[in-house]
Amino acid sequence: MEIINTIKDYWNRQPCNILHGKSLQGTKEWYNEVKNKKYFVESHVPKFANFPAYKNKNVLEIGCGIGTDALEFARHGANYTGIDISSVSVNITKQGFKIFDLKGDIFECDARSLPRFDKKFDLVYSCGVLHHFPESDKTIDQIYNLLKNDGTFKFLVYAKNSWKYAMIQAGLDQYEAQDNCPYAVAYTNEEIHNLIGDKFNIEKIEQNHCFMYNIPKYKQNIFELQPWFAAMSEEMREAVSTKLGWHLMVTASKK
């Protein structure tokens, strides 16, 4: 499928968050800079992932990217497996595991057709990935088959009922920091139920994350709020994030 090759090329050219680190790419300093910046701006992600809860548990990540969450699962003792369609991302993640002397299995593959694993998983986790890939129903089928009966499926996708989606629809923003993202969709809560509801019980849907910073300064690691957000109280900014945030975080279990 031509769109799949386009998606691969796009994420190989600039994997998500690869510019967060200012040190030499592939060093411990660089990985730590990437992590610190990501979790400063998206502090809801480590809370959602709940890395400590998966010590000695089998974790499969669909779309490991450059390995920020992957390294945290492994640091907290998970039996980690990760896949990604981007060969560049897979290599960066593998390098991170090597540098930090962590154990994990990372594969380059299409989420619609996962490898044959010799185990099932306590957690299947996917952060910011499913909305960038077509035929998501095939991926959901794969996840269902690989998850233990008492396992948990956690994933984060983009929200239609959000500040950012409104700006995209008005032509004032785009899905990703880099231009020309080849495939991206956003979901309502109802569409999440339609996507997975025949196979999974949805236990929780949370919403968070409205990017509020001046972008040129953000690229220099200066976290200055845009003036319209700076004019709001902290309580108002929190309300925007949790009611109109860009991220829908879904926790589900097998039916």
Side-chain angles (χ1 to χ4, degrees), residues 40-106:
F40 176 81
V41 176
E42 300 178 8
S43 60
H44 56 286
V45 169
K47 293 176 185 176
F48 174 61
N50 193 11
F51 303 114
Y54 296 97
K55 182 177 182 179
N56 298 324
K57 301 289 188 180
N58 295 337
V59 173
L60 171 63
E61 183 174 13
I62 305 296
C64 62
I66 59 175
T68 303
D69 291 347
L71 292 169
E72 289 305 299
F73 277 117
R75 285 188 181 109
H76 286 85
N79 305 317
Y80 177 84
T81 303
I83 68 103
D84 203 283
I85 198 171
S86 162
S87 59
V88 174
S89 295
V90 165
N91 289 335
I92 292 171
T93 299
K94 286 182 176 180
Q95 179 70 8
F97 273 71
K98 181 178 179 180
I99 284 177
F100 289 102
D101 194 25
L102 295 168
K103 293 181 179 179
D105 297 313
I106 300 99

Side-chain angles (χ1 to χ4, degrees), residues 107-142:
F107 304 94
E108 177 190 347
C109 70
D110 185 326
R112 299 169 303 169
S113 181
L114 296 172
R116 291 184 179 271
F117 297 111
D118 60 359
K119 58 187 174 184
K120 291 203 172 184
F121 296 90
D122 299 283
L123 172 68
V124 178
Y125 173 81
S126 187
C127 184
V129 173
L130 296 180
H131 49 238
H132 283 310
F133 213 72
E135 299 181 314
S136 52
D137 57 324
K138 292 183 179 180
T139 302
I140 298 301
D141 287 344
Q142 295 278 310

Side-chain angles (χ1 to χ4, degrees), residues 163 210-213 225-233 237 240:
W163 178 289
C210 184
F211 185 83
M212 299 184 179
Y213 298 104
L225 292 170
Q226 296 282 19
W228 48 93
F229 289 122
M232 296 180 180
S233 67
R237 290 194 294 270
V240 170

Side-chain angles (χ1 to χ4, degrees), residues 7-254:
I7 291 169
K8 286 183 183 180
D9 291 343
Y10 181 82
W11 294 112
N12 276 332
R13 284 195 302 272
Q14 186 174 311
C16 189
N17 296 337
I18 197 170
L19 301 180
H20 277 10
K22 300 302 181 184
S23 297
L24 179 66
Q25 184 178 316
T27 61
K28 284 187 176 181
E29 292 77 13
W30 181 82
Y31 285 100
N32 287 332
E33 287 167 1
V34 171
K35 178 184 75 170
N36 291 339
K37 188 167 186 176
K38 175 180 173 64
Y39 292 160
F40 176 81
V41 176
E42 300 178 8
S43 60
H44 56 286
V45 169
K47 293 176 185 176
F48 174 61
N50 193 11
F51 303 114
Y54 296 97
K55 182 177 182 179
N56 298 324
K57 301 289 188 180
N58 295 337
V59 173
L60 171 63
E61 183 174 13
I62 305 296
C64 62
I66 59 175
T68 303
D69 291 347
L71 292 169
E72 289 305 299
F73 277 117
R75 285 188 181 109
H76 286 85
N79 305 317
Y80 177 84
T81 303
I83 68 103
D84 203 283
I85 198 171
S86 162
S87 59
V88 174
S89 295
V90 165
N91 289 335
I92 292 171
T93 299
K94 286 182 176 180
Q95 179 70 8
F97 273 71
K98 181 178 179 180
I99 284 177
F100 289 102
D101 194 25
L102 295 168
K103 293 181 179 179
D105 297 313
I106 300 99
F107 304 94
E108 177 190 347
C109 70
D110 185 326
R112 299 169 303 169
S113 181
L114 296 172
R116 291 184 179 271
F117 297 111
D118 60 359
K119 58 187 174 184
K120 291 203 172 184
F121 296 90
D122 299 283
L123 172 68
V124 178
Y125 173 81
S126 187
C127 184
V129 173
L130 296 180
H131 49 238
H132 283 310
F133 213 72
E135 299 181 314
S136 52
D137 57 324
K138 292 183 179 180
T139 302
I140 298 301
D141 287 344
Q142 295 278 310
I143 291 167
Y144 181 85
N145 291 333
L146 287 167
L147 190 66
K148 290 182 178 180
N149 287 336
D150 60 350
T152 301
F153 177 27
K154 291 186 179 185
F155 64 99
L156 182 157
V157 291
Y158 293 152
K160 275 186 181 175
N161 180 35
S162 64
W163 178 289
K164 185 174 176 77
Y165 191 74
M167 296 302 103
I168 292 170
Q169 295 302 105
L172 300 172
D173 205 342
Q174 59 186 19
Y175 278 93
E176 299 301 323
Q178 51 184 315
D179 296 336
N180 303 314
C181 180
Y183 189 91
V185 295
Y187 293 90
T188 63
N189 286 21
E190 182 181 359
E191 286 168 338
I192 294 295
H193 282 272
N194 292 339
L195 177 66
I196 70 168
D198 61 334
K199 289 183 169 63
F200 293 92
N201 295 309
I202 296 174
E203 298 173 359
K204 187 187 298 184
I205 301 180
E206 305 167 274
Q207 195 164 350
N208 210 314
H209 187 54
C210 184
F211 185 83
M212 299 184 179
Y213 298 104
N214 175 292
I215 292 175
K217 291 189 176 181
Y218 174 78
K219 290 178 179 179
Q220 302 173 46
N221 289 338
I222 300 170
F223 300 97
E224 180 181 292
L225 292 170
Q226 296 282 19
W228 48 93
F229 289 122
M232 296 180 180
S233 67
E234 185 175 344
E235 290 78 10
M236 291 174 69
R237 290 194 294 270
E238 178 69 12
V240 170
S241 292
T242 57
K243 301 300 182 183
L244 296 172
W246 186 220
H247 292 171
L248 279 185
M249 295 170 287
V250 182
T251 302
S253 58
K254 289 179 80 167

